[in-house]
Amino acid sequence: MRPALCSSDKDKFFVEKMGRIMETQLGNPQFTVDEFASMMGVGRSIFYRKVRGVTGYSPNEYIRIMRMKKAAELLSSPENLTVAEVSYQVGINDPFILVSALNFSLV
């Protein structure tokens, strides 16, 4: 994941708030960009521009990357979780999607 491009304290606060919200919503497969924007307290179009500006990713890409990052952490943890368990913990209902996404990122 690219480092956040924070040019002000407001940007840093925005990124930190995004991270906190993602932590709480990570296991929610119905979590949408609209909900994300609402929880951040801004409209969808402003949210899109702000997320793109501070992360370099669209909101959907950011959600997907955060899920994949957490999935990789869980899969490499000593807890020996199955792919299915990890996929449900990161809000992906179909373990095959997680396997496909992880295989793609390894290439």
Side-chain angles (χ1 to χ4, degrees), residues 1 13-26 28 30-48 51-52 54-55 57-67:
M1 182 160 183
F13 177 76
F14 188 84
V15 169
E16 289 169 5
K17 187 174 180 182
M18 280 177 33
R20 288 192 304 272
I21 289 172
M22 275 306 301
E23 284 177 26
T24 62
Q25 296 297 318
L26 199 60
N28 178 1
Q30 280 82 38
F31 186 57
T32 64
V33 172
D34 289 331
E35 285 179 85
F36 203 174
S38 176
M39 293 173 113
M40 292 294 293
V42 295
R44 181 181 170 87
S45 59
I46 291 171
F47 181 68
Y48 183 91
V51 171
R52 175 69 80 178
V54 297
T55 67
Y57 299 110
S58 72
N60 277 322
E61 288 173 318
Y62 178 78
I63 292 170
R64 187 180 70 247
I65 289 167
M66 294 304 289
R67 285 186 167 147

Side-chain angles (χ1 to χ4, degrees), residues 3 7 16-17 47 84 94 100 106:
S7 59
E16 289 169 5
K17 187 174 180 182
F47 181 68
D94 186 354
S100 297
L106 294 175

